[in-house]
Amino acid sequence: MDEKWAMKTGKVVPVDFVDDKTFGNTTKGNNLALPDPELRTNRESEQEFLRRKNTCATAFMAGFTDDCGISGVKFVIGASVVPLRRTVWLLVLMAGVGIMSYQMWERISYYMSHPMNVNVQLNYVQNLTFPTVAICNFNMYRKSITDYYNSTELINSMYATYTADFDGIDMTGTDDPWFYLNAAHQLEEMILMPQWKQSTVDYDAFQTIITDFGVCYAFNTGNDSYGIRKIENTGTSYGLSMYLDSQEHDYNIGARNGAGFQIVLYEQGDVPLVTDLGFALSAGQEIRVGIEVTRITNLPPPHGVCGSTPLQYYTKYSKNACRMECLTNYVVNVCGCRSYYMPGPARMCNPAEIYICVSEASRQFVENGTSCDCPVPCSRVIYKANLSHAKFPSSIYAAYLSTAFGLPSWYFDSNVGKVDIFFQELSVHEIIQQKAYDFFGLLCDIGGSLGLWLGGSILTVIEIADIIMKSCCHKCWH
């Protein structure tokens, strides 16, 4: 008698033990793959029976029903669910999946847009860094000096007659910084009795700089033996105070027709744009400058636009420095030389070249909006000056100054002003760009959407991956 075997899950059962009535017209001459009678006797569940099938799809469906944590799945896949109930649950699940997919897509799109918020706050501090203060006289060339070096005709050709006729004019030495430094009003004659926190300040605390406004004198640059000064209290008693003498009697014709001083406050290491950002002080006035500090922190791409670019002539990046460098390169390309206040190794232009070429090139640079790769810095400090004015000196004090300096009292009304620079309060206005939506927030929203519409979570996604691996890679998984 031939033996036939039924094979199931590794077990073999002789056909002789199988009742023919149970399986219809079964004959001993046929090879049958039959269920294990012992497991059938123990009423094996339909899901267990399907899981034993050696196909990935059926195994996945059986495992998905039992192991997946998504609500309602068993009512869609289960074999014993009536059609109407299956249809209702299928529609509910499809609606949940659709809404969840829309929300997830909206959240992912929002995350990929790199949104940001701007946080504005007022922080009170123990001390504040005092800004660099640059003081410049409106007059660039002292008449006594231009007369001494026979340069008055040159100055008149540029600013008095506007003829631009430089034939026969000796320009020897005018293409050297020394010409501007020597012709400018001198530090000890222009700034009188400087005081820091009510104590006399040596002139060594001032550094001579050449700016777009001419020769200026900068206080608290941080490049001297004093270092960077800080303030621990507010008010005029805890700041910089000084008298300024315009020396109007020594004025010459020039690019500016006013008389007095231009003052600018800026961060240490930055490039002062005195012409554009400074404020004026005229003789016969006392001006009080209350400072407010604003610190701006920007985000780099992709959330923001801040950054920096290597500079040729400056060690610290700032937008002012970058623009100045860009202007310098433009002028050098057009004129073959640079102006007296521009950085770099190019030859310095003489006054005729500045009048004829540099001035026109600078105007074109501004008018045409010449493109410069100067991104917004990621961090910067702005010093805002709040000004108040009063007449100076009073008639009584003018008489006292006249006695002290041996000058007529009218001289102080016409030439001398006073300035006090101080902090109004020990606080910093912080403007901070922050990420409005990070990856952790995205995960929280995805998990919330899964839980709200499908009763799942991030772990549900891992469960589905586990079921797929278990179904399709059974041997590897076990």
Side-chain angles (χ1 to χ4, degrees):
M1 179 176 62
D2 296 332
E3 288 188 346
K4 305 300 182 181
W5 305 92
M7 313 210 38
K8 182 60 182 160
T9 65
K11 291 187 177 183
V12 290
V13 181
V15 175
D16 295 64
F17 292 98
V18 181
D19 185 2
D20 290 341
K21 295 180 180 180
T22 306
F23 297 96
N25 297 326
T26 303
T27 62
K28 296 182 178 180
N30 297 325
N31 293 328
L32 300 175
L34 301 176
D36 188 338
E38 180 180 354
L39 295 178
R40 296 289 290 176
T41 302
N42 293 334
R43 299 180 178 179
E44 179 181 42
S45 66
E46 182 180 356
Q47 289 78 10
E48 290 293 334
F49 177 73
L50 289 173
R51 191 180 285 113
R52 291 179 183 275
K53 293 290 186 179
N54 191 25
T55 62
C56 179
T58 54
F60 172 75
M61 297 296 288
F64 196 80
T65 303
D66 290 344
D67 298 335
C68 182
I70 297 179
S71 302
V73 171
K74 61 183 177 181
F75 300 120
V76 176
I77 301 178
S80 60
V81 182
V82 296
L84 178 59
R85 192 182 187 191
R86 188 192 308 274
T87 302
V88 171
W89 274 104
L90 178 62
L91 293 176
V92 172
L93 279 176
M94 289 177 63
V97 170
I99 297 174
M100 180 202 70
S101 300
Y102 171 77
Q103 287 185 338
M104 290 177 62
W105 173 253
E106 191 274 335
R107 290 290 85 189
I108 292 174
S109 299
Y110 181 62
Y111 174 76
M112 295 304 295
S113 69
H114 308 294
M116 68 175 181
N117 291 328
V118 177
N119 182 22
V120 180
Q121 59 188 20
L122 179 64
N123 294 330
Y124 289 92
V125 295
Q126 297 295 322
N127 57 67
L128 288 171
T129 299
F130 199 76
T132 300
V133 181
I135 306 101
C136 318
N137 200 307
F138 266 67
N139 182 50
M140 287 185 60
Y141 312 100
R142 288 182 293 168
K143 191 174 186 306
S144 59
I145 299 299
T146 57
D147 287 345
Y148 182 82
Y149 288 102
N150 298 320
S151 301
T152 302
E153 184 181 1
L154 171 64
I155 303 300
N156 291 335
S157 297
M158 290 191 295
Y159 301 112
T161 62
Y162 296 98
T163 59
D165 182 11
F166 299 99
D167 293 339
I169 297 178
D170 184 12
M171 297 189 187
T172 303
T174 58
D175 57 352
D176 190 282
W178 175 89
F179 173 75
Y180 298 93
L181 294 172
N182 191 44
H185 294 264
Q186 300 303 293
L187 171 64
E188 294 83 354
E189 298 172 354
M190 189 180 82
I191 299 178
L192 309 176
M193 297 186 294
Q195 291 185 335
W196 170 251
K197 296 181 181 180
Q198 297 185 324
S199 298
T200 302
V201 176
D202 294 334
Y203 286 109
D204 293 341
F206 292 85
Q207 180 179 353
T208 302
I209 59 175
I210 300 180
T211 72
D212 57 335
F213 205 82
V215 175
C216 304
Y217 303 101
F219 175 80
N220 197 36
T221 61
N223 297 327
D224 51 29
S225 59
Y226 298 93
I228 297 177
R229 292 171 169 82
K230 295 181 180 293
I231 292 291
E232 298 79 20
N233 286 287
T234 59
T236 56
S237 298
Y238 298 91
L240 177 66
S241 178
M242 53 191 161
Y243 296 92
L244 300 176
D245 186 356
S246 63
Q247 299 175 307
E248 192 174 347
H249 61 279
D250 209 10
Y251 268 39
N252 212 333
I253 193 69
R256 292 175 288 273
N257 298 320
F261 308 91
Q262 187 84 345
I263 302 173
V264 66
L265 313 178
Y266 61 99
E267 187 180 7
Q268 281 78 14
D270 201 355
V271 175
L273 300 182
V274 182
T275 301
D276 295 331
L277 303 180
F279 57 88
L281 167 66
S282 67
Q285 279 191 337
E286 178 177 353
I287 182 171
R288 295 194 173 191
V289 184
I291 306 174
E292 293 182 5
V293 184
T294 300
R295 182 179 293 114
I296 302 175
T297 303
N298 300 310
L299 283 175
H303 292 83
V305 296
C306 80
S308 63
T309 184
L311 300 179
Q312 295 176 274
Y313 313 129
Y314 299 100
T315 57
K316 178 182 177 180
Y317 176 82
S318 69
K319 194 159 187 175
N320 290 348
C322 183
R323 291 283 298 178
M324 179 63 71
E325 191 169 281
C326 187
L327 172 62
T328 299
N329 294 334
Y330 181 85
V331 169
V332 170
N333 288 335
V334 173
C335 302
C337 59
R338 61 180 176 85
S339 186
Y340 59 88
Y341 63 88
M342 295 179 179
R347 178 182 66 84
M348 199 172 87
C349 303
N350 60 41
E353 291 171 317
I354 291 176
Y355 182 85
I356 296 173
C357 184
V358 173
S359 298
E360 179 63 20
S362 299
R363 186 191 63 80
Q364 292 176 355
F365 178 85
V366 176
E367 181 179 343
N368 299 334
T370 304
S371 176
C372 297
D373 183 18
C374 297
V376 176
C378 293
S379 179
R380 60 182 298 214
V381 176
I382 299 175
Y383 295 97
K384 179 183 176 182
N386 298 314
L387 309 180
S388 60
H389 303 263
K391 181 182 180 299
F392 179 87
S394 65
S395 57
I396 296 177
Y397 193 59
Y400 167 79
L401 293 175
S402 175
T403 302
F405 290 94
L407 295 171
S409 59
W410 60 261
Y411 179 88
F412 299 96
D413 293 330
S414 303
N415 292 274
V416 178
K418 183 184 179 184
V419 59
D420 297 305
I421 303 175
F422 57 95
F423 285 113
Q424 289 183 312
E425 59 181 18
L426 291 178
S427 63
V428 179
H429 294 268
E430 297 274 2
I431 302 177
I432 305 173
Q433 291 183 346
Q434 297 175 331
K435 294 179 182 178
Y437 196 60
D438 57 12
F439 185 68
F440 182 74
L442 175 64
L443 291 181
C444 291
D445 284 347
I446 291 176
S449 183
L450 279 170
L452 178 63
W453 298 109
L454 298 179
S457 64
I458 298 297
L459 292 179
T460 304
V461 180
I462 301 176
E463 285 180 348
I464 295 174
D466 177 80
I467 294 169
I468 294 173
M469 292 296 295
K470 184 178 179 181
S471 303
C472 300
C473 304
H474 183 78
K475 293 182 179 180
C476 299
W477 205 244
H478 292 279

